[in-house]
Amino acid sequence: GHRGEEEPLAFYLGERRIPVMEVIDRWLSPDSRYFKVQVYDGSVYILRHHEAADEWDMTLFSQRP
């Protein structure tokens, strides 16, 4: 990543592993790092890494029709 840290290469949706095709954008908040990612089916997700808790969560941003 731009701060010398790793970026997400994949994430899990239930039991399914979803590979990341591209990190479209990234940004910081006081306690988290965010990644806007596109996956191979064209869907776009926002992944948040809460650094203090070392926890990740995910939001579907847009889904391919």
Side-chain angles (χ1 to χ4, degrees), residues 36-60:
K36 184 177 184 180
V37 301
Q38 184 173 18
V39 300
Y40 287 93
D41 74 357
S43 298
V44 176
Y45 294 86
I46 304 293
L47 305 177
R48 178 179 74 105
H49 181 230
H50 187 270
E51 294 181 306
D54 194 27
E55 295 177 348
W56 288 85
D57 56 47
M58 176 270 307
T59 302
L60 177 63

